[in-house]
Amino acid sequence: MEKFLAQTLTIANHPISGFKEIFKQQYVCGIGEFLCYITKDDRITKLIFEAWCSSIIKEIPKDAWSFTRDFYAIKDALAVHRNGLCFFTMRQSFLFDCFYLLEKSRKNLRVDAAVFFANNICGFFTKGNLNYVNEYFKGENCGDKIPEVLRNHRRISHDFVNKKIKRVLVVATMSAGKSTLVNALVGHKINQVRATACTSRVHYIYNKPAAEGVLASFADKKLLYTKNYTLLASENVNSVGVNFNSSLSKSRICLIDTPGVNYNGDKSHGELTRNIIKENNYDLLLLVMNANQLAIEDERNLISFIGKHSKRKVVGVLNQCDCYKPSQDSIPEAVDTSIAMMKEAGIHSPLVIPISAYAAHLYRETIENSKHRDLEIEEEYAEINTKMQKPFYNLPSYIPGVPKDVKIANTIDRTGVPYLEYLINNS
């Protein structure tokens, strides 16, 4: 599932995107008929088909996902050259799309697909195209007759999902701002943010290589591809595949978001998180601490548990530093206190990064992800941006090894979150 969720399901500049609407309808109906028939109406393949074709045509015909006894839609798609189109490119693209979308969901059916086309569809003029495309997917030719944009899409997708994945476990007590931090690292609001318990199950958030919609799996095994991120607020969501709008966007990474360990309303929340920590099936652990409630008993208990059971690198994340007041609070003292707690728990060579996940999230929602304007969020950002310009809130200046007089213009850099992302990328 982790490779599936990291796939890119849409394409820009498809070779037929400039064709007339009627020809594009024939094209996608042919793909739909083939995939519906060969996969026996497989729901996952249907989702992939709809996502892919939605980037080719404005509206997919309602009957595109169906098949006839004589496979008229497939034959029509392969015969549109009679209307004066560049039929060689058209045929290669069509056969490529059929095999490629099948490869994304039901790779084991490639041989069946080739036999189906040879026995039921392809005549004298199209068998050569079929053999060439089939050999390409078998790895027997370089595919130079296939449009480059299609080959590049497959290559980039394959290269990305076959990278070694880095798993980053994010843990905290309640109200530390863990959900806000996850939103900031992803660069999209995919988690609920409120004062009470937000996360009741373990969520896996996978980065994917292209900016498009979100692919989500649910507890009932339902899959959803959507551009409406608000649908992800459901507690039934198990896993998400989305392109991170942050400096993590090129990394093959999975953020593992866990429930707060000290939610008294349901003790199973804490058990879930403690079990994940003990399993050590991650590469890096981010311990999110609340700068406003530092060193409370629940937090000390969590740090002690991590010290005893985690065998991975631990990075302390001192969140909500934007709430500190220059006249009353000391960020260096808070960092030192956090380091001392981690050392006391037996965590070796602890590093603590002071951040403002809130400011980072608002920055990315308004400045870097401003397609959908939200005036309320923009007002919140304007307020926090003014605060973050003060020297006291230049949070990277408190990170060991960073010059104390470091001057950073962008608010996102001043939040400390990009430094955390650098550590994630390079740990």
Side-chain angles (χ1 to χ4, degrees), residues 190-191 214 216 218 224 226 228-235 237 240:
I190 63 171
N191 271 347
V214 183
F218 292 77
L224 173 70
T226 180
N228 183 359
Y229 288 19
T230 61
L231 297 178
L232 303 179
S234 168
E235 278 299 304
V237 173
V240 170

Side-chain angles (χ1 to χ4, degrees), residues 248-261:
L248 300 174
S249 64
K250 302 299 181 184
S251 301
R252 180 80 169 92
I253 192 168
C254 173
L255 295 179
I256 306 171
D257 187 18
T258 58
V261 294

Side-chain angles (χ1 to χ4, degrees), residues 124-139:
F124 178 79
F125 291 105
T126 51
K127 274 197 174 174
N129 300 108
L130 170 63
N131 291 335
Y132 185 83
V133 172
N134 188 34
E135 287 170 359
Y136 167 72
F137 278 90
K138 288 163 63 179

Side-chain angles (χ1 to χ4, degrees), residues 34 38 99 102 106-119 130 134 137-138:
F34 163 73
I38 204 73
F99 279 86
L102 188 64
R106 301 289 298 276
K107 188 176 182 178
N108 62 307
L109 293 179
R110 182 190 57 76
V111 173
D112 292 347
V115 171
F116 164 78
F117 273 113
N119 292 343
L130 170 63
N134 188 34
F137 278 90
K138 288 163 63 179

Side-chain angles (χ1 to χ4, degrees), residues 42-115:
D42 178 65
R43 63 185 181 88
I44 296 177
T45 309
K46 182 181 181 183
L47 178 148
I48 293 172
F49 160 75
E50 291 176 343
W52 183 262
C53 290
S54 68
S55 58
I56 297 174
I57 191 170
K58 291 180 181 177
E59 186 174 347
I60 302 172
K62 292 181 180 179
D63 60 348
W65 187 259
S66 62
F67 59 89
T68 59
R69 185 178 62 182
D70 295 316
F71 308 113
Y72 290 121
I74 300 173
K75 293 173 181 176
D76 282 349
L78 284 169
V80 291
H81 68 278
R82 297 171 189 160
N83 297 284
L85 298 175
C86 185
F87 63 93
F88 288 115
T89 298
M90 181 74 173
R91 286 173 176 170
Q92 299 284 21
S93 298
F94 178 81
L95 290 168
F96 174 93
D97 280 2
C98 288
F99 279 86
Y100 185 37
L101 300 187
L102 188 64
E103 181 182 66
K104 285 178 173 292
S105 63
R106 301 289 298 276
K107 188 176 182 178
N108 62 307
L109 293 179
R110 182 190 57 76
V111 173
D112 292 347
V115 171

Side-chain angles (χ1 to χ4, degrees), residues 159-193:
D159 288 350
F160 186 81
V161 298
N162 288 315
K163 286 181 181 178
K164 183 180 179 181
I165 191 169
K166 180 176 289 184
R167 294 177 176 82
V168 180
L169 181 65
V170 189
V171 301
T173 57
M174 284 179 56
S175 302
K178 176 179 56 62
S179 293
T180 304
L181 174 60
V182 169
N183 287 341
L185 294 174
V186 175
H188 301 284
K189 188 176 181 180
I190 63 171
N191 271 347
Q192 300 180 67
V193 178

Side-chain angles (χ1 to χ4, degrees), residues 291-319:
N292 290 309
Q293 299 177 5
L294 197 58
I296 61 173
E297 183 180 359
D298 286 341
E299 192 162 70
R300 286 185 178 276
N301 290 339
L302 173 59
I303 295 173
S304 177
F305 187 88
I306 291 170
K308 290 178 182 177
H309 297 284
S310 178
K311 297 179 175 63
R312 304 291 182 253
K313 181 174 180 179
V314 179
V315 174
V317 183
L318 185 63
N319 192 24

Side-chain angles (χ1 to χ4, degrees), residues 186-359:
V186 175
H188 301 284
K189 188 176 181 180
I190 63 171
N191 271 347
Q192 300 180 67
V193 178
R194 58 178 185 262
T196 57
C198 296
T199 307
S200 63
R201 65 171 68 236
V202 178
H203 294 152
Y204 297 85
I205 307 162
Y206 296 91
N207 183 36
K208 56 197 302 183
E212 54 178 19
V214 183
L215 186 59
S217 69
F218 292 77
D220 59 3
K221 298 185 179 180
K222 177 184 176 182
L223 281 172
L224 173 70
Y225 177 80
T226 180
K227 294 183 179 179
N228 183 359
Y229 288 19
T230 61
L231 297 178
L232 303 179
S234 168
E235 278 299 304
N236 289 322
V237 173
N238 278 343
S239 306
V240 170
V242 60
N243 178 243
F244 289 10
N245 180 38
S246 69
S247 58
L248 300 174
S249 64
K250 302 299 181 184
S251 301
R252 180 80 169 92
I253 192 168
C254 173
L255 295 179
I256 306 171
D257 187 18
T258 58
V261 294
N262 59 333
Y263 178 49
N264 290 326
D266 189 338
K267 298 295 184 180
S268 68
H269 289 200
E271 286 303 308
L272 271 174
T273 300
R274 283 187 284 272
N275 286 337
I276 291 282
I277 293 171
K278 286 193 293 185
E279 287 170 3
N280 280 281
N281 188 23
Y282 50 89
D283 303 289
L284 178 67
L285 188 152
L286 300 185
L287 166 63
V288 186
M289 296 176 281
N290 186 346
N292 290 309
Q293 299 177 5
L294 197 58
I296 61 173
E297 183 180 359
D298 286 341
E299 192 162 70
R300 286 185 178 276
N301 290 339
L302 173 59
I303 295 173
S304 177
F305 187 88
I306 291 170
K308 290 178 182 177
H309 297 284
S310 178
K311 297 179 175 63
R312 304 291 182 253
K313 181 174 180 179
V314 179
V315 174
V317 183
L318 185 63
N319 192 24
Q320 303 188 36
C321 290
D322 55 280
C323 296
Y324 274 16
K325 296 180 180 179
S327 61
Q328 301 176 15
D329 303 302
S330 170
I331 295 175
E333 287 183 9
V335 170
D336 290 343
T337 299
S338 302
I339 291 175
M341 285 194 297
M342 293 171 72
K343 283 183 177 179
E344 183 181 337
I347 298 173
H348 301 293
S349 304
L351 175 63
V352 173
I353 308 296
I355 69 162
S356 169
Y358 173 67

